[in-house]
Amino acid sequence: MTVRPSALALTPLLLFLALFFGAGLYFTAQGEPMGFYQLRAPVAILPSLALAVWLAHRKGLAAGDILLRGMGDPDIVLMCLIFLLAGAFAYVSSAIGAVDAVVSIGLSVIPVSMVLPGLFVLAALIALAIGSSMGTIAAVIPIALGVADASGLDTALVVGAVIGGAMFGDNLSVISDTTIAATRTQGAQIRDKFRENLKFALPASIATVVVLALSGGSAPVEIGSTDSPWLVLPYGVVLAMALAGVDVRVVLGTGIVLAGGFGIVFAEDYGVVPFVGDVWSGFEGMVEILLLSLLIGGLGALTKASGGLDWLAQRIAGFVRGRRGPRAGEFSIAALSTVADVFTANNTVAILVSGSVARDIAEKHGVSPRRAASMLDIFACIAQGVLPYGAQILLAASLASVSPLVLAGSVHYCWILGLVTVGMLLWPRGRRARPPA
């Protein structure tokens, strides 16, 4: 059955964004520090699902079957499995003291004259290893505040360096939920997406290090006691296996076993029973994003079947004024990802919401899956890192007692990444030779 493109089919998605964004604004205005996390996304999407089912039913479609097929899509189910494994690995690694070990070892090698760049690099490495900007911010900000107090450096500048490093690592990490969501929705390999991202993130990070080095002076750093350096090894193994192209399920499964084993051998008061409990706690920490992924899969299938995605693709084609080609597609995906993150204040949610539309855009404009995944993740990262009502800045602001608005202007990396990425996309590209007739 052929369904015409329809703007009405997009109203369920708009309803979800309005409920999620509206509730966030309301609770923030009421003084709630984490206002955008009072109405959970899996709950906010339920009215949208009901509306989508009704609209599909009106068009004579088998709405129930479409919903279930969307939720049970192999890519969605695989993504949920990866989320669970990533959550378990991150939680077990934190529980055995691996994060603290990385922090202590990292601080021990930071030169006194390079504290700000050192904190940026340290946060980047930790986020790259654990795949969580929130976990990195929670681990490093207390140390960064001590550095700021001891050195007299501006607190917002110090905290902004940590947030920037956390966003750099989260954006590139092979176990980050944003990386997983971006690659699965675009049909790309994690290794290929990592390499594509690095083309933009590496120049931006180097520029950030230079800016931070010029922004602060030297500062004394006291190094506390560290746990066994062997606890860091599971992170290195996971990163090496992932970059070598090993299946992410094998990578994360190996990481969980290694982290648990090293914890039992080297960490104090850690055994099999705590290990099993931490695996489950890691699963529990991913329940929200797992549920949202399933429901987003169903909503996306209903929206596509009802003609909503076709209508949106037509409008985006009009937005680029009929131009076709990779550049038009890349900017369209960038705009889509940025707007979605502004409305949802969650980069993973933004990628999940815009993923299917971005994939259609990429196919029509000749954008490779790895490039599309990279654009989705980069621009969601840029927006998320500077949103005053985003979880990262809200968490850092609450830990540091600094205004979120002040912090938003101090996350140099995200602003520089935006300039670098746009500049590279606009840079003239050589024409490919046409294949012989």
Side-chain angles (χ1 to χ4, degrees), residues 34 45 48 94 99 127 132 140 169 251 253 284 309 319 321 378 390 395:
M34 300 290 284
I45 201 175
S48 303
S94 177
V99 174
S132 169
V140 182
V251 170
E284 286 185 314
L309 299 186
F319 174 75
R321 297 178 182 178
I378 284 176
L395 174 60

Side-chain angles (χ1 to χ4, degrees), residues 190-207:
I190 288 180
R191 179 178 58 177
D192 293 337
K193 183 261 185 188
F194 175 88
R195 292 172 176 171
E196 195 70 31
N197 259 37
L198 202 60
K199 297 176 183 178
F200 304 94
L202 186 59
S205 63
I206 293 173

Side-chain angles (χ1 to χ4, degrees), residues 101-307:
V102 173
V103 170
S104 298
I105 293 172
L107 283 178
S108 67
V109 299
I110 296 178
V112 174
S113 61
M114 295 288 286
V115 169
L116 278 177
L119 287 172
F120 170 79
V121 173
L122 175 61
L125 291 175
I126 293 174
L128 187 65
I130 69 175
S132 169
S133 56
M134 293 290 284
T136 300
I137 289 170
V140 182
I141 287 294
I143 299 170
L145 292 176
V147 170
D149 291 339
S151 63
L153 292 172
D154 180 63
T155 301
L157 190 61
V158 171
V159 174
V162 174
I163 297 174
M167 297 309 295
F168 169 89
D170 186 31
N171 180 224
L172 283 175
S173 175
V174 295
I175 63 170
S176 168
D177 50 3
T178 58
T179 292
I180 295 166
T183 52
R184 297 311 304 175
T185 58
Q186 301 309 300
Q189 296 296 319
I190 288 180
R191 179 178 58 177
D192 293 337
K193 183 261 185 188
F194 175 88
R195 292 172 176 171
E196 195 70 31
N197 259 37
L198 202 60
K199 297 176 183 178
F200 304 94
L202 186 59
S205 63
I206 293 173
T208 302
V209 167
V210 173
V211 170
L212 291 175
L214 297 175
S215 300
S218 62
V221 181
E222 294 184 3
I223 307 301
S225 60
T226 180
D227 294 311
S228 171
W230 287 104
L231 295 175
V232 180
L233 188 58
Y235 288 143
V237 172
V238 164
L239 184 60
M241 289 178 65
L243 293 179
V246 179
D247 186 284
V248 67
R249 291 165 291 184
V250 176
V251 170
L252 291 173
T254 303
I256 293 169
V257 173
L258 281 178
F262 275 71
I264 292 171
V265 174
F266 296 105
E268 296 182 6
D269 301 323
Y270 198 80
V272 174
V273 174
F275 168 61
V276 174
D278 289 337
V279 170
W280 174 248
S281 297
F283 287 169
E284 286 185 314
M286 304 302 285
V287 166
E288 181 177 354
I289 191 63
L290 185 150
L291 289 175
L292 181 61
S293 298
L294 291 173
L295 297 176
I296 283 286
L299 180 60
L302 287 167
T303 302
K304 184 172 184 177
S306 299

Side-chain angles (χ1 to χ4, degrees), residues 9 25 37 52-53 72 119 164 188 212 214 236 240 275 329 333 412 433:
L25 288 178
Y37 295 84
V53 168
L119 287 172
L212 291 175
L214 297 175
F275 168 61
I333 294 171
H412 292 90

Side-chain angles (χ1 to χ4, degrees), residues 33-34 141 145 391-404 407:
M34 300 290 284
I141 287 294
L145 292 176
Q392 286 77 3
I393 284 185
L394 289 176
L395 174 60
S398 64
L399 291 173
S401 300
V402 178
S403 167
L407 284 183

Side-chain angles (χ1 to χ4, degrees), residues 25-100:
L25 288 178
Y26 171 78
F27 285 112
T28 300
Q30 296 298 311
E32 176 60 48
M34 300 290 284
F36 276 80
Y37 295 84
Q38 298 305 301
L39 176 61
R40 297 293 186 177
V43 177
I45 201 175
L46 294 179
S48 303
L49 278 172
L51 178 59
V53 168
W54 181 71
L55 290 174
H57 180 72
R58 283 189 59 196
K59 292 179 177 290
L61 301 172
D65 291 342
I66 294 172
L67 173 64
L68 293 177
R69 284 199 301 270
M71 294 176 64
D73 183 273
D75 284 339
I76 296 293
V77 175
L78 178 58
M79 182 163 43
C80 291
L81 175 60
I82 295 172
F83 282 148
L84 289 175
L85 294 174
F89 174 67
Y91 198 94
V92 171
S93 299
S94 177
I96 66 174
V99 174
D100 295 333

